Amino acid sequence: MIHIEHLTFNSFQTNCFVLWDETGKCVIADPGCSSDKETSRIKELLTEKNLEPVCILLTHCHFDHTYGVAELARSYDIPVYAGKEETFTVETTNPYICRNFGLPLPEEFSMNLVSEGDTVEAGSLRFEVLDTPGHSKGGLCWLERNEKVLLSGDTLFAGAIGRTDHPGGDYDVLMRSIFEKLLMLDGDTRVLPGHGPSSDIATERMTNPFLLPFNEPYED
């Protein structure tokens, strides 16, 4: 059985999820904590729940999703997994955005680069990589297929899709990622996005206004 804790960090209200099984082994997804106080919230949760962090999973490497990565990876001596093209985001996209908006860059960290079909395990949980570029050059989603849980990052939101105007973004690529990878999943798959409330695949198929040409009516 999967357990999920949802935290929200930084001025961009970026979602971070801690997911674990009955053994207490856990993954930390997209820790965008931008201050010591926010980082402490994750550390306190791990202590309170007696959790053993196995790794950090990144859906993409935009600054607001990675502010806390270096500190947590160092504190727990755990690997960080990200898409194979996300070096572009770290080297090009983040400097461009942060320079234009006067924001600090995340502290540098090492990444283990993954791609479609790769898996990362934490106890009985098995997170599968779905390559879903478009919001960023190497964006991906993490699917726990048995538990029907999808970490969708900024690819798919409740009632929206990710922006594509930053360097490395591509609208057509994003839409292919959503239609060919995500909307094909079981309808009761939970969608845990990078911002905003959670959803499920069936709801997004039928009601997401950005996917209107393919919306399906509710069945009686």
Side-chain angles (χ1 to χ4, degrees), residues 96-144:
Y96 171 83
I97 301 173
C98 291
R99 180 175 63 250
N100 286 339
F101 289 93
L103 298 167
L105 280 167
E107 183 182 349
E108 292 184 3
F109 55 88
S110 297
M111 296 187 292
N112 294 273
L113 302 181
V114 295
S115 58
E116 183 83 16
D118 288 340
T119 59
V120 174
E121 296 183 1
S124 62
L125 303 179
R126 187 171 182 268
F127 294 91
E128 175 185 344
V129 173
L130 302 180
D131 283 336
T132 54
H135 173 67
S136 69
K137 192 171 182 66
L140 56 80
C141 296
W142 294 95
L143 174 65
E144 215 306 335

Side-chain angles (χ1 to χ4, degrees), residues 177-194:
S177 293
I178 293 172
F179 285 116
E180 295 177 5
K181 299 289 181 68
L182 303 189
L183 297 190
M184 303 299 290
L185 299 174
D186 291 344
D188 57 348
T189 299
R190 284 183 282 175
V191 176
L192 308 182

Side-chain angles (χ1 to χ4, degrees), residues 156-217:
L156 180 65
F157 300 122
I161 60 174
R163 63 190 295 172
T164 57
D165 57 328
H166 292 323
D170 188 309
Y171 174 81
D172 291 334
V173 171
L174 177 69
M175 294 303 279
R176 283 199 299 273
S177 293
I178 293 172
F179 285 116
E180 295 177 5
K181 299 289 181 68
L182 303 189
L183 297 190
M184 303 299 290
L185 299 174
D186 291 344
D188 57 348
T189 299
R190 284 183 282 175
V191 176
L192 308 182
H195 303 271
S198 300
S199 184
D200 59 68
I201 291 296
T203 298
E204 298 314 305
R205 281 187 197 141
M206 294 184 286
T207 67
N208 190 313
F210 292 88
L211 311 176
L212 276 173
F214 293 87
N215 277 349
E216 302 171 4

Side-chain angles (χ1 to χ4, degrees), residues 5-219:
E5 187 77 20
H6 171 205
L7 305 100
T8 305
F9 294 127
N10 66 55
S11 59
F12 296 89
Q13 294 294 283
T14 302
N15 291 336
C16 168
F17 296 96
V18 179
L19 308 96
W20 68 96
D21 72 352
E22 66 281 352
T23 71
K25 294 187 183 299
C26 74
V27 301
I28 304 169
D30 289 356
C33 27
S34 59
S35 66
D36 290 342
K37 182 178 180 180
E38 289 188 338
T39 305
S40 294
R41 288 177 57 195
I42 293 183
K43 293 181 175 180
E44 289 167 1
L45 171 68
L46 300 182
T47 299
E48 175 188 338
K49 301 290 187 180
N50 195 28
L51 302 180
E52 177 187 349
V54 171
C55 63
I56 294 171
L57 302 181
L58 298 178
T59 59
H60 62 298
C61 291
H62 280 161
F63 64 97
D64 57 317
H65 291 251
T66 58
Y67 273 136
V69 171
E71 167 62 22
L72 291 168
R74 183 169 52 244
S75 295
Y76 296 103
D77 192 25
I78 52 177
V80 179
Y81 295 97
K84 62 182 180 181
E85 299 292 339
E86 282 303 272
T87 51
F88 178 90
T89 300
V90 171
E91 296 171 359
T92 302
T93 311
N94 284 347
Y96 171 83
I97 301 173
C98 291
R99 180 175 63 250
N100 286 339
F101 289 93
L103 298 167
L105 280 167
E107 183 182 349
E108 292 184 3
F109 55 88
S110 297
M111 296 187 292
N112 294 273
L113 302 181
V114 295
S115 58
E116 183 83 16
D118 288 340
T119 59
V120 174
E121 296 183 1
S124 62
L125 303 179
R126 187 171 182 268
F127 294 91
E128 175 185 344
V129 173
L130 302 180
D131 283 336
T132 54
H135 173 67
S136 69
K137 192 171 182 66
L140 56 80
C141 296
W142 294 95
L143 174 65
E144 215 306 335
R145 198 174 292 273
N146 290 332
E147 298 287 347
K148 296 189 176 183
V149 171
L150 179 77
L151 294 163
S152 65
D154 289 4
T155 297
L156 180 65
F157 300 122
I161 60 174
R163 63 190 295 172
T164 57
D165 57 328
H166 292 323
D170 188 309
Y171 174 81
D172 291 334
V173 171
L174 177 69
M175 294 303 279
R176 283 199 299 273
S177 293
I178 293 172
F179 285 116
E180 295 177 5
K181 299 289 181 68
L182 303 189
L183 297 190
M184 303 299 290
L185 299 174
D186 291 344
D188 57 348
T189 299
R190 284 183 282 175
V191 176
L192 308 182
H195 303 271
S198 300
S199 184
D200 59 68
I201 291 296
T203 298
E204 298 314 305
R205 281 187 197 141
M206 294 184 286
T207 67
N208 190 313
F210 292 88
L211 311 176
L212 276 173
F214 293 87
N215 277 349
E216 302 171 4
Y218 286 104
E219 295 181 2

